[in-house]
Amino acid sequence: VFVAAPNTGNILNFNVGANLDLEIPSRFWSALAGKYGNKFYWRDNGETAAIKNAVSAIDACAREEAGRFKCSKIQEPMDDMQF
């Protein structure tokens, strides 16, 4: 479950089920929230950009091949032209 709640310091909150937790490491969710969910990012770039970039990063991570380094880097922000 992905919850975007701008009334908190971090707009991105995740509740990940056990099956997905086996595919995507828990450190990814923390790093993702830290990169796109922090108040400075969404205040400067907007809530929509934060949500779109988070969804894009989740998609990119899910498509990576399994292995030790799966989802070890958070995708860089996309510009408006890529949405």
Side-chain angles (χ1 to χ4, degrees):
V1 176
F2 174 8
V3 178
N7 58 345
T8 63
N10 194 313
I11 193 173
L12 304 179
N13 296 291
F14 304 98
N15 185 358
V16 180
N19 289 340
L20 187 57
D21 204 27
L22 294 173
E23 291 294 320
I24 299 177
S26 59
R27 68 183 180 278
F28 171 80
W29 304 107
S30 298
L32 182 61
K35 184 166 186 166
Y36 294 125
N38 73 71
K39 187 174 188 174
F40 302 106
Y41 185 86
W42 61 264
R43 183 184 62 201
D44 294 346
N45 298 284
E47 296 170 15
T48 301
I51 294 167
K52 286 182 176 181
N53 281 310
V55 169
S56 179
I58 294 167
D59 179 61
C61 168
R63 294 173 187 273
E64 288 181 20
E65 289 191 37
R68 182 175 170 193
F69 298 108
K70 180 176 176 130
C71 306
S72 60
K73 294 183 181 179
I74 303 298
Q75 178 179 302
E76 290 300 314
M78 298 180 358
D79 60 36
D80 289 337
M81 298 302 290
Q82 292 176 299
F83 286 124

